[in-house]
Amino acid sequence: MANSEGSVSPVVFNRLALYARRLRGMKAEGFVTVSSVALADALSLNPSLVKKDLSCAIVNEGKPKVGYTIDDLIEDIESFLGYNNTKDAVLVGVGKLGQALLGYRGFEKYGLNIIGGFDSDESIVAKEVNGKKILPIGKLASAVKKLNIKIAILTTPGEQAQAVTDILLRAGIRAIWNFTPAHLKAPDTVAIKNEDMAVSLAVLSQQLKEILKKESE
Amino acid sequence: MANSEGSVSPVVFNRLALYARRLRGMKAEGFVTVSSVALADALSLNPSLVKKDLSCAIVNEGKPKVGYTIDDLIEDIESFLGYNNTKDAVLVGVGKLGQALLGYRGFEKYGLNIIGGFDSDESIVAKEVNGKKILPIGKLASAVKKLNIKIAILTTPGEQAQAVTDILLRAGIRAIWNFTPAHLKAPDTVAIKNEDMAVSLAVLSQQLKEILKKESE
DNA sequence: TAGATTGTTAATCGATTAACAATC
DNA sequence: TAGATTGTTAATCGATTAACAATC
């Protein structure tokens, strides 16, 4: 049964994104169908877990003995993850990281359309970075309001993060993708996703440590 | 009781990093001590959960009626997370994102020392980016071996990711921080942390969708 | 002392795994 | 048909929450 479009736990959501990614790889390798066992194997996960996760996202059911049509499965998962409906966003802070994100063409595949960048540095304003216009930060609030934009990508220095956040919130932004190390204060009616490099790094180091520890035993 | 230096689940590990971040904020706001209830409140978490998490990382015990000395707590958690022991790393792929990471001074705080960047583009080689030397990719393997480096940061285009990974693995790299959209093939004696923008974006969109849904009810 | 908070143990809850009937 | 795989239900496991004795 297809799940009634909705709330799965974050851990399931993350695994579904992982499946989509691996399935695109398998498709590129020439697979046409895939079973939950094969997918589970490829990712070193339990087949029951994969089956259950998939049942949350699936519209096109699998066939016993055959498995799932890989194209249908990718389509279903990506649609469940929301890659299909386009979302407009602004990017604030056009430093190196901001420029890297502005130039990343992959976002379109996931339904994110960055309409432009904003920066307080006069020397970059009015230029284009990868075809995206850079506007002065003074125009941020009016642009967000006029275009009814709900998502902001924050790539300013940490010191400016809260001030910019306050502007964004007043202008009606409801989701912030925070690449700064700052802890943002915002009401919980606003979605915030912290891209915390420190955490990722710590997780990687811990993994490495445990692998090395296991070997020395 | 202080945990015997070891394996906590990834979800606990992530929360500990979150605590460290928030505690640094509280310290900046002038707090000297903090109770598990106060910390839990600040992060909208259950106090019992916070207490249990902290017990994994703590050396300096808290005092009943007072709570924890904030400096000691930060020190304990950061040491548990491994921020204190310095780790050398190489970065491969000095595009916009690579440059942004090379220039990010925050890594030092978390114990990561990027010794230099590597790129196949002759025009950037031999230059410096934020004081870090850029070397030709041909010197990657020998540098990794000579300096006995175990961690690599991968910021090449996706198409080159696997080829570079193969070089890195042969040179003895044991942990890869993967910022490319490619799915890397590597033995499971190598730690891989995928920085998957698509997943983060999907999580943020889902949060936003649920907030907006709740409001329209 | 009385009250707040610690550290830890017990109870609850949710997520993962195993089992199995349905089916191609 | 026989066997593999689906979708789903039941059993297990682990993580979260609640409760409580110890203590400053």
Side-chain angles (χ1 to χ4, degrees):
Chain A
M1 185 204 65
N3 187 298
S4 56
E5 180 67 28
S7 321
V8 301
S9 77
V11 56
V12 174
F13 201 85
N14 272 278
R15 277 199 305 266
L16 283 168
L18 180 69
Y19 301 160
R21 181 162 157 163
R22 191 68 205 90
L23 286 167
R24 279 192 299 272
M26 292 174 107
K27 187 188 170 181
E29 289 161 18
F31 288 84
V32 175
T33 61
V34 65
S35 72
S36 55
V37 178
L39 181 57
D41 256 21
L43 296 164
S44 308
L45 294 173
N46 182 295
S48 293
L49 186 65
V50 173
K51 265 186 270 182
K52 200 158 214 183
D53 288 345
L54 292 182
S55 76
C56 301
I58 273 177
V59 178
N60 299 289
E61 302 194 347
K63 286 206 183 75
K65 194 165 156 68
V66 178
Y68 306 88
T69 307
I70 215 163
D71 279 330
D72 290 351
L73 195 50
I74 293 175
E75 163 68 23
D76 282 354
I77 296 176
E78 297 200 335
S79 136
F80 184 85
L81 295 175
Y83 290 176
N84 293 349
N85 54 328
T86 305
K87 304 159 279 278
D88 285 335
V90 290
L91 181 144
V92 191
V94 191
K96 288 273 167 55
L97 179 59
Q99 288 180 36
L101 295 179
L102 276 179
Y104 181 44
R105 315 227 85 219
F107 284 142
E108 285 155 30
K109 211 164 61 186
Y110 307 117
L112 189 77
N113 177 39
I114 306 179
I115 64 118
F118 293 81
D119 205 293
S120 56
D121 180 357
E122 290 296 327
S123 71
I124 195 171
V125 163
K127 281 185 186 160
E128 289 202 352
V129 172
N130 291 82
K132 310 276 188 191
K133 277 241 171 62
I134 314 301
L135 301 168
I137 199 125
K139 295 208 168 145
L140 177 56
S142 59
V144 166
K145 278 183 207 153
K146 194 193 271 174
L147 298 171
N148 194 31
I149 289 171
K150 297 292 170 223
I151 301 179
I153 304 171
L154 196 59
T155 46
T156 64
E159 302 82 50
Q160 282 143 257
Q162 188 62 53
V164 170
T165 298
D166 293 340
I167 296 173
L168 290 168
L169 295 179
R170 277 197 300 273
I173 285 287
R174 303 300 299 276
I176 298 177
W177 200 1
N178 178 28
F179 286 84
T180 80
H183 175 94
L184 303 181
K185 270 167 239 147
D188 55 9
T189 52
V190 175
I192 294 186
K193 177 87 180 102
N194 294 305
E195 213 57 46
D196 197 325
M197 299 291 178
V199 177
S200 299
L201 176 61
V203 170
L204 182 66
S205 311
Q206 192 206 27
Q207 274 182 46
L208 175 61
K209 211 165 92 185
E210 287 191 358
I211 286 173
L212 295 178
K213 197 170 111 195
K214 228 172 252 168
E215 280 179 10
S216 67
E217 279 167 9
Chain B
M1 183 204 66
N3 185 300
S4 56
E5 178 67 27
S7 320
V8 300
S9 76
V11 55
V12 173
F13 201 84
N14 273 278
R15 277 200 304 267
L16 284 169
L18 179 69
Y19 301 160
R21 181 162 155 163
R22 190 70 205 91
L23 287 167
R24 279 193 300 270
M26 294 173 107
K27 186 188 171 181
E29 288 160 20
F31 288 84
V32 176
T33 61
V34 65
S35 72
S36 54
V37 178
L39 182 58
D41 255 21
L43 296 165
S44 308
L45 294 172
N46 181 295
S48 293
L49 186 64
V50 173
K51 264 186 271 183
K52 200 159 213 182
D53 288 345
L54 291 182
S55 76
C56 301
I58 274 177
V59 178
N60 299 289
E61 303 194 346
K63 286 205 182 78
K65 196 164 155 65
V66 179
Y68 306 88
T69 307
I70 214 163
D71 279 331
D72 290 350
L73 196 48
I74 294 174
E75 164 69 24
D76 282 353
I77 295 176
E78 298 201 333
S79 136
F80 184 85
L81 295 174
Y83 290 177
N84 293 349
N85 54 327
T86 304
K87 303 159 279 280
D88 285 335
V90 290
L91 181 144
V92 192
V94 192
K96 288 272 168 55
L97 179 59
Q99 288 180 36
L101 294 179
L102 276 179
Y104 181 44
R105 314 228 86 216
F107 284 141
E108 284 155 31
K109 211 163 62 185
Y110 306 117
L112 189 76
N113 176 39
I114 305 179
I115 65 118
F118 292 82
D119 205 293
S120 56
D121 180 358
E122 290 295 328
S123 71
I124 195 172
V125 163
K127 282 186 185 156
E128 289 202 354
V129 173
N130 292 81
K132 309 277 188 189
K133 277 242 171 63
I134 314 300
L135 300 168
I137 199 124
K139 294 207 170 146
L140 178 56
S142 60
V144 166
K145 278 183 206 154
K146 193 195 271 173
L147 298 170
N148 194 30
I149 289 171
K150 296 293 169 220
I151 301 178
I153 303 171
L154 196 59
T155 47
T156 63
E159 302 81 51
Q160 283 142 256
Q162 187 62 51
V164 171
T165 298
D166 294 342
I167 296 172
L168 290 168
L169 295 179
R170 275 197 301 272
I173 286 287
R174 301 302 297 277
I176 298 176
W177 200 0
N178 177 27
F179 285 84
T180 80
H183 174 95
L184 303 181
K185 270 167 240 146
D188 56 7
T189 51
V190 175
I192 293 187
K193 176 88 181 100
N194 295 305
E195 213 57 46
D196 196 327
M197 299 292 177
V199 177
S200 299
L201 176 60
V203 170
L204 181 66
S205 311
Q206 192 207 27
Q207 275 181 46
L208 175 60
K209 211 165 93 187
E210 287 190 357
I211 287 172
L212 295 178
K213 197 170 112 195
K214 230 173 250 167
E215 280 178 10
S216 67
E217 281 168 4

